């Protein structure tokens, strides 16, 4: 069930059965010469919808823009500052908590969002307690990173070894190829790829990772691999969501 394709009466009826909601969150950022700018949002949205179907959960609107400041030297990247993303998450959760939702499961497609999401959860709990809305004490937020699922990690190792890298990875590119086969890109990739550098500002990032990849070889990606990753992530995050939903 998708929130934006539901009516308020349907949401009201859903809340009689469940107080859980899944929120996909991604990023709009460069993913190397062959990866789509929307990769992280595309993966999070597709997997979140799969989990929603498997668990009968409502899925909220995808948060397409995340915290990607270090990618902003590459054209097309859009980033929120961490402080903006905290406010956005707090506003989303506050509105939904007022309606009666208490369990917020963020399915995340971007490693750079994790620290800010956790900070946002703390800000949100404090804010809801100050507001004294009836459900405040019961509101819980959790982040499920599809790319960190044990089964996904294992398959990526088997298929790509250390060519998986950590950004513009063949596994995430494969998922976008499965979801949008019409947007598969071809481009020459140099054998040399930046790897192992710490992340500081955007100009520094571009100097150390000139084509945007971080240790990865996305030429190994195929739509068939993408389907495998998709299915593994949906399975693992579905159990993660149900466990979260049923825990006190
Ligand atoms: Zn990514």
């Amino acid at each position: 069930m998708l929130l934006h394709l539901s009516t308020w009466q349907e949401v009201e009826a859903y809340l009689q059965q469940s107080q859980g909601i899944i929120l996909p969150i991604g990023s709009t950022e460069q993913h190397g010469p062959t990866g789509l700018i929307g990769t992280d949002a595309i993966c999070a949205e597709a997997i979140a919808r799969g989990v929603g179907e498997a668990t009968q959960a409502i899925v909220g609107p995808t948060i397409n823009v995340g915290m990607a400041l270090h990618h902003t030297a590459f054209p097309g990247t859009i980033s929120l500052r961490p402080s903006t993303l905290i406010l956005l998450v707090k506003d989303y959760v506050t509105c939904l908590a007022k309606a009666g939702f208490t369990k917020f499961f963020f399915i995340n497609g971007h490693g750079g969002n994790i620290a800010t999401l956790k900070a946002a959860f703390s800000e949100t709990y404090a804010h809801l307690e100050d507001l004294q809305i009836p459900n405040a004490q019961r509101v819980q937020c959790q982040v499920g990173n599809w790319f960190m699922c044990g089964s996904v990690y294992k398959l990526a190792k088997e298929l790509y070894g250390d060519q998986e890298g950590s950004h513009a990875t063949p596994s995430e590119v494969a998922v976008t190829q499965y979801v949008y086969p019409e947007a598969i890109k071809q481009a020459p990739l140099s054998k040399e790829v930046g790897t192992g550098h710490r992340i500081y500002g955007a100009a520094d990032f571009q100097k150390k990772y000139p084509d945007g990849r971080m240790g990865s070889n996305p030429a190994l990606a195929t739509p068939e691999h993408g389907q495998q990753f998709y299915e593994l992530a949906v399975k693992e995050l579905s159990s993660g969501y149900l466990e979260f939903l049923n825990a006190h």
Side-chain angles (χ1 to χ4, degrees):
M1 181 175 175
L2 300 176
L3 182 71
H4 72 289
L5 299 184
S6 307
T7 65
W8 70 262
Q9 290 95 335
E10 287 170 329
V11 176
E12 193 173 66
Y14 171 89
L15 279 163
Q16 302 300 313
Q17 312 298 319
S18 172
Q19 291 77 52
I21 184 164
I22 294 169
L23 292 162
I25 178 166
S27 182
T28 298
E29 67 183 48
Q30 71 82 16
H31 271 76
T34 57
L36 308 180
I37 300 273
T39 296
D40 295 349
I42 291 165
C43 295
E45 180 171 274
I47 292 163
R49 289 181 179 187
V51 173
E53 273 168 33
T55 62
Q56 308 293 307
I58 199 164
V59 180
T62 303
I63 303 170
N64 281 291
V65 176
M67 208 311 283
L69 288 175
H70 52 290
H71 291 293
T72 51
F74 294 88
T77 299
I78 309 174
S79 179
L80 302 177
R81 286 169 292 159
S83 51
T84 315
L85 182 54
I86 288 172
L87 294 175
L88 181 145
V89 168
K90 192 168 78 172
D91 284 354
Y92 274 41
V93 173
T94 301
C95 289
L96 293 165
K98 280 184 186 166
F101 287 96
T102 57
K103 295 271 190 172
F104 297 85
F105 194 69
F106 289 78
I107 291 190
N108 179 37
H110 174 49
N113 287 338
I114 298 171
T116 305
L117 274 175
K118 292 194 170 166
F121 297 162
S122 297
E123 291 272 2
T124 302
Y125 300 140
H127 177 67
L128 292 174
E129 285 183 8
D130 290 347
L131 280 182
Q132 297 188 325
I133 67 161
N135 279 323
Q137 308 295 329
R138 291 173 50 230
V139 168
Q140 295 176 350
C141 303
Q142 198 176 103
V143 53
N145 302 297
W146 78 266
F147 52 93
M148 284 166 74
C149 288
S151 54
V152 167
Y153 184 85
K154 192 166 159 270
L155 180 63
K157 267 272 164 253
E158 278 167 25
L159 292 173
Y160 312 129
D162 58 10
Q163 295 186 80
E164 164 72 353
S166 56
H167 179 66
T169 61
S171 58
E172 62 180 346
V173 169
V175 173
T176 65
Q177 291 181 344
Y178 168 58
V179 180
Y180 288 112
E182 69 276 23
I184 295 176
K185 310 287 179 175
Q186 306 291 344
L189 294 170
S190 67
K191 269 213 152 38
E192 268 172 45
V193 56
T195 188
H197 307 289
R198 285 180 184 274
I199 295 176
Y200 298 105
D204 179 72
F205 182 96
Q206 193 183 35
K207 209 161 75 195
K208 285 167 180 157
Y209 299 103
D211 73 359
R213 292 177 295 151
M214 297 173 77
S216 65
N217 181 8
L220 301 174
T222 70
E224 292 75 24
H225 292 168
Q227 181 170 5
Q228 287 178 271
F229 285 118
Y230 166 84
E231 285 167 2
L232 289 172
V234 166
K235 187 162 180 247
E236 202 168 317
L237 290 173
S238 294
S239 348
Y241 172 71
L242 292 175
E243 222 171 272
F244 171 58
L245 198 63
N246 295 322
H248 291 289

